[in-house]
Structures are given as C-alpha cells and as structure tokens.
Amino acid sequence: MRLPRFAPVLLAALLLAPAAACDKSKEPTPEEIEAKLKADLEEAAARVRNNKTKDAEKIYLRILETHADQPDAVGGLGKVRLEEKKYAEAEKLLAQASNAKSDNASLWAALGQARQLQDNPKGAAEAFAMAFKIEPDNSSYGLSYGRMLRDAEDFAKAEEILRKVAELDPKAPYVNTDLGDALRGQDKLDDALKHYMKGQNANRSDKRAHAGAAFVYEKKGDNKHALDEWSSYIRMDCCSDFSKTVAQKKIESLKVDHGGDAGEGEGAGAAE
C-alpha cells in the first residue's frame, strides 16, 4: 500500500511532538525562579560575610542579568563596591536600592557610609536619619547620624540626636565626646566641658575628649588647664598631622602665655 505524499511530514511531526512537550516541561515555573533567586541572594550574602566579595560580586551581576534592578542584588553590589572603596559607584547603587526598599535600615546606613567617605556629611546625615528612624533602638545608627550632623555644623540637631543616643546606650563609643563637640559648637562651654570629662572617664584613651576640653578651657581663658589637656593629648598622640599642626603649636603658644613650662605633665590629673 502506498502512503500519501504527506505521510513523512506527518510522521516527523508526530515524532517531534513529544520532544517539544518535554522541552516545554523543563521550563522553570515562577515558583522555581523565585526560589533560585532567593538561594542566589542568600549565597551572595554569605560570601560577603566570609569576605569573599569577588565571589559575591559575580553572583549579584549574574542575578542582575535576568532580574534587572532587583533591589537586593543592587544593594548587595553597592555594599561590595563600598568594600572595594569605589564610593561614587557604591553611592549610586545604594541610593537606588534604598529608595526601592525604603524600609531597609542597613541599606540606608550603607548609603550614609558611602556619602560620609566622600566628605558629604549633610547627605550622610540624611541617610543615617532614615536608618535611625526605621530602627530607633539602634544606637550605632543614631551615633552616626549625630556625628554627621555635627560635621555638617548643624550643632543643635546634633545635640538633640546625641542626647537620645546617650539615653538609649550610655556606653555607645565616644558619645559624650561627640556630644561635647555639638555643645561646644553652640558655645555651651560648661555643659560641653562636663561631657568631655565624662568621655575621659569612660575611656582613658579618648584623646579627642582631651582636645575638646583644651579648646573649651582656652575659650574660657583658663590657659593653665588648656595646657594640661593639650599635654595629655600629646602623650596619647605624638605624631599625627593634628598633633603636629594643632596640638604641639597650641602647647608652644600656651607656654609663652602661661610663662614657661607650668602645667605640662599635669594633664592626667586635670583630665580626671
């Protein structure tokens, strides 16, 4: 019996049909795609925690090839760029991610750090403010927020935030010294001095507390105690740029004004 002329075509179609159906069944479901994305993000985050940033970078870039603008991947890559000291690129990525996930405090804090490292204290303060608003019990975020306000010379707002941090966590690193700086910026000299002394007592290696107290004493016209505090600072830091260009010159000037060597060596007692 002769087969119709179209029989070979029909036969081929019938043979290919199961293969096509099989190929279609191999396409991942939306649930499988989401699970793979979640696993990849977790893997990348684990690589970052283990300081394997290059491995994490590859994973984030691979994710972004198929999930453009995925905020966790964008933010993760931004944090990698921050570790690589590529601050401008990090800021751009972290700004995109934090705006997309506006309730993620760690993204805002990383954005604040990127701006801080580019000498943008006002912008950094805005980012840290968001992080602290989301997690008001996180004294680290509050401390960074207050410090950036101080560096931006918004001293009154810095005082407000740093007082909150001091109440929230009295042992927050250098909070009293930072608060002293904010108060000194407003010429609240007695209150500033009180907090510098608290800073010295909380941490005997806190050289900034001695420098701050020295500035206050000078402004109050108490050159003897200013000399004591600068002398204490020099004993802690003999050779930094600040020590050479500010502290040592202050001591030389105060010695002349105070008459000889009086006061040098008494800094520890004055600080206590």
Side-chain angles (χ1 to χ4, degrees):
M1 182 178 67
R2 293 183 61 189
L3 292 173
R5 285 180 297 172
F6 58 82
V9 177
L10 178 62
L11 180 60
L14 290 172
L15 290 172
L16 288 172
C22 182
D23 287 342
K24 188 174 182 180
S25 68
K26 288 182 180 179
E27 293 179 5
T29 65
E31 292 78 12
E32 289 171 337
I33 292 172
E34 186 64 26
K36 178 68 165 57
L37 172 61
K38 183 179 178 181
D40 285 345
L41 288 169
E42 289 176 352
E43 176 65 18
R47 298 294 176 91
V48 171
R49 288 194 298 272
N50 291 323
N51 296 317
K52 296 180 178 180
T53 53
K54 288 296 183 184
D55 291 344
E57 177 185 19
K58 291 176 183 177
I59 297 172
Y60 286 131
L61 289 172
R62 187 173 70 238
I63 291 171
L64 291 171
E65 286 178 359
T66 54
H67 298 77
D69 301 327
Q70 205 286 331
D72 292 305
V74 172
L77 185 60
K79 290 179 180 179
V80 168
R81 294 290 181 254
L82 192 58
E83 288 290 323
E84 295 173 339
K85 300 183 179 180
K86 297 177 180 178
Y87 302 133
E89 186 180 354
E91 179 185 1
K92 181 178 179 181
L93 291 165
L94 290 164
Q96 178 184 339
S98 57
N99 283 314
K101 297 193 73 173
S102 58
D103 61 345
N104 189 307
S106 70
L107 287 173
W108 286 110
L111 176 59
Q113 188 179 1
R115 290 174 174 172
Q116 177 184 353
L117 291 166
Q118 294 178 91
D119 297 322
N120 179 6
K122 183 178 179 181
E126 292 170 356
F128 283 123
M130 290 296 295
F132 193 42
K133 182 179 180 180
I134 296 164
E135 294 186 14
D137 293 333
N138 190 318
S139 62
S140 176
Y141 293 159
L143 194 60
S144 295
Y145 178 26
R147 285 172 175 169
M148 290 301 98
L149 288 167
R150 175 204 61 195
D151 290 353
E153 299 187 356
D154 188 349
F155 296 120
K157 186 65 176 178
E159 177 190 352
E160 175 191 336
I161 298 303
L162 290 167
R163 285 192 186 280
K164 286 182 181 179
V165 174
E167 291 177 7
L168 178 65
D169 181 7
K171 294 184 179 180
Y174 307 110
V175 65
N176 279 294
T177 299
D178 295 322
L179 183 51
D181 290 342
L183 291 162
R184 179 163 60 89
Q186 301 172 79
D187 283 333
K188 297 179 179 180
L189 300 183
D190 290 335
D191 204 7
L193 187 60
K194 179 180 73 175
H195 283 282
Y196 286 134
M197 293 303 151
K198 283 185 177 180
Q200 291 178 19
N201 288 327
N203 185 347
R204 292 183 180 275
S205 66
D206 185 359
K207 60 187 180 182
R208 283 199 307 114
H210 287 283
F215 280 124
V216 169
Y217 280 128
E218 274 195 82
K219 204 159 191 178
K220 289 166 69 73
D222 187 345
N223 289 350
K224 178 183 182 300
H225 283 101
L227 182 57
D228 290 343
E229 294 294 346
W230 282 124
S231 298
S232 292
Y233 183 95
I234 289 290
R235 285 198 294 274
M236 296 177 179
D237 173 15
C238 67
C239 306
S240 71
D241 287 341
F242 182 84
S243 181
K244 293 174 182 177
T245 60
V246 178
Q248 291 180 14
K249 290 184 178 180
K250 288 284 188 182
I251 286 178
E252 293 168 6
S253 175
L254 287 166
K255 280 182 179 179
V256 172
D257 293 341
H258 198 66
D261 295 334
E264 187 172 6
E266 299 173 8
E272 292 175 357

